[in-house]
Amino acid sequence: MRFGVGVKFPIPNAIALVGKAFARSRMTAASIGKTPLAGKIASRLAFRSALGSVPVITSTSFTIGSNLGFDALIGHVDATNSPTSYAITAGNPSGYFALYNTGNLRTGLSAAPPDGVYNLTVTASNSYGTSPAKSIGVTVGTAPAVVGTTFNLSLPATSGAHVGTVTATGGTPTAWSITAGNSAGYFAIDNSGLITVTSAGASGLTAQTYGLTVQATNALGSNTGSVSIVASAVASPGDGSANAPSGAAQFPSLLNAMAARPPWSVAGVDYRTGINTGVTLKDPATISIAGVDVDTGSRVVTILGDNVVIDAYDFSTGGGWSLNIGSGSQIGGSNAIITNCKFRYNTLWIRNQPGAGNPGTTIRYCEFDGGVTGVDSNAPEFLIDYRANGDHIFEYNWVHNVACDVFGISEYYDDGTISKWTCRFNVMNDSGYNSAIGWHPDWVQTYGGAITEIDFSYNTFAEISGGGAVQGVCGDPGGPWYGGAIHHNTFYCGDSVHINFFVTPYTPGSQLIDVSNNYARLKAGGFGGTGVVFNYPGSEADGNFHDNVNMSTGHTFGSWSVGGTPP
């Protein structure tokens, strides 16, 4: 049998057509709608290509900020062909991320990612199958940026003394270091940003400004910033300006119209009091310090450990937090140091610290905002309540808008006697009568306890627009002041308000207080009128009041009671 030209043998399982036979077969196949012969493999590939519905992930990366918390939305993972489910198949061993079937990528339900770069392996699926795995990068946070800060350091300083805590914006630092300016090794910094004095610094620091370059680092990088530490000898008995916090004074023009003004630098006029400018305040709920209990439900922080330092926290948030130093009958909290904190409404309790004459509480560079002028039924009875013995210091603070007593000093579970109370370099302004409760604010009110020695000096009291009826410095029954001095304070009041300054000797011993070298804007009117009234009632010798100056006239006076023409 003969075949057409061009046929070759053997070719298993295939036939090649040439010539007229091939042409006729191709035409016939086309005419009846059949696919030309190309083998079974070509047919299968064509079938798979026609599906085209397995998802393909198109997202590649996400960038989010720091501290998003739990179950926070990061972004949507996009994919073709309508996925019905998603999964993270690798790169998430700590459960920092969750990928929902909607495609929403979120932070974990029980673990939020710290700053860093994460590579997640992700798939998407639908009824036709699962996509190829895709690597998606998630960048959390940024490199931290150091906030330039100035700290004040009193000399001599002891080894381990706290200078201050450096803060950063952007990402959360995981490590801090001093990279320049510390060749003598006077300072150290820990991974919370706290700068302390080293043993070399305790012996070598002198009165000057030390400029440090501080670096903050996290997984995304590092940045540096400048920190200045102003080291100076303790201003005693000076006016306090050398160790004042950084920033502008609150009332620089307050005394401009006075005939005489104090010859020293006046707190709030010539230098600032309160929180150092540039300090970033933290949430008290984040406090994690040994010996400190944090009750976020009641918004109460309690210090029971000794030598605790609380620096740069905002206790005014959420309607106000209370800070307890010691708690009820529980003895603790000796030598607590509170700096650069803000308070509002709620009371700062200082309770039952052991040992008269031992270190009590030091409160420095803080702001106390009563939140009101005049009426407020929510105001506590005392803003700062001392019910603890020991030597206590309150300095460089700003207290304002108070409708209650500023300081209450009383006996509690223990003696309640303050062996020495130093209250100096503070500004207290615009307090007022609280008609909703019937209180008039006393700056200091003692009852039940006692102050063995008081140093009440270089403070500024200004009633510029307050509610009036501010009853100054008082001692109530059972609360004598046995010794010390009230000196070099500045008392100012506007035209429509008044201050009544009392050292009230209800109990023996108060007459030993020396009241001298205070400057006041005296005006006629007395209690219920306007101006400042220096009133020392009872049989106490007027000689304990001496060398005080009326800023309105420049005249010197002793005490001055209600009525008459001011000296």
Side-chain angles (χ1 to χ4, degrees), residues 101-364:
N101 288 339
T102 59
N104 285 339
L105 180 64
R106 308 181 75 91
T107 60
L109 293 175
S110 59
D115 289 358
V117 177
Y118 302 86
N119 292 304
L120 306 179
T121 301
V122 174
T123 60
S125 301
N126 62 13
S127 59
Y128 294 98
T130 299
S131 71
K134 181 68 174 288
S135 179
I136 293 181
V138 181
T139 301
V140 180
T142 60
V146 178
V147 177
T149 310
T150 297
F151 296 116
N152 299 283
L153 177 64
S154 298
L155 298 179
T158 59
S159 178
H162 291 206
V163 177
T165 300
V166 188
T167 58
T169 58
T172 302
T174 54
W176 292 84
S177 59
I178 301 173
T179 60
N182 193 35
S183 57
Y186 289 164
F187 304 100
I189 189 169
D190 66 16
N191 283 340
S192 71
L194 173 65
I195 296 177
T196 55
V197 176
T198 64
S199 57
S203 59
L205 286 168
T206 59
Q208 60 177 289
T209 298
Y210 295 87
L212 305 179
T213 300
V214 173
Q215 178 174 282
T217 302
N218 68 9
L220 297 169
S222 61
N223 284 297
T224 60
S226 298
V227 173
S228 295
I229 300 174
V230 182
S232 54
V234 174
S236 178
D239 56 26
S241 59
N243 296 316
S246 59
Q250 288 89 338
F251 308 109
S253 60
L254 182 70
L255 306 179
N256 285 358
M258 296 294 95
R261 58 153 292 162
W264 60 83
S265 294
V266 177
V269 177
D270 299 308
Y271 62 84
R272 180 180 180 79
T273 68
I275 299 170
N276 280 273
T277 299
V279 171
T280 300
L281 300 182
K282 298 162 287 191
D283 187 344
T286 65
I287 293 175
S288 179
I289 301 173
V292 180
D293 176 73
V294 179
D295 183 343
T296 56
S298 300
R299 297 197 305 275
V300 177
V301 175
T302 302
I303 300 174
L304 292 175
D306 294 338
N307 305 309
V308 169
V309 177
I310 301 291
D311 181 70
Y313 287 94
D314 189 352
F315 290 92
S316 71
T317 60
W321 287 65
S322 291
L323 176 59
N324 293 346
I325 303 171
S327 178
S329 60
Q330 299 181 67
I331 295 177
S334 180
N335 197 33
I337 299 176
I338 315 299
T339 57
N340 288 304
C341 291
K342 184 174 183 179
F343 298 86
R344 181 182 175 95
Y345 278 136
N346 289 21
T347 298
L348 191 162
W349 294 91
I350 303 169
R351 302 185 183 186
N352 206 34
Q353 294 170 311
N358 289 337
T361 298
T362 296
I363 304 169
R364 182 184 292 125

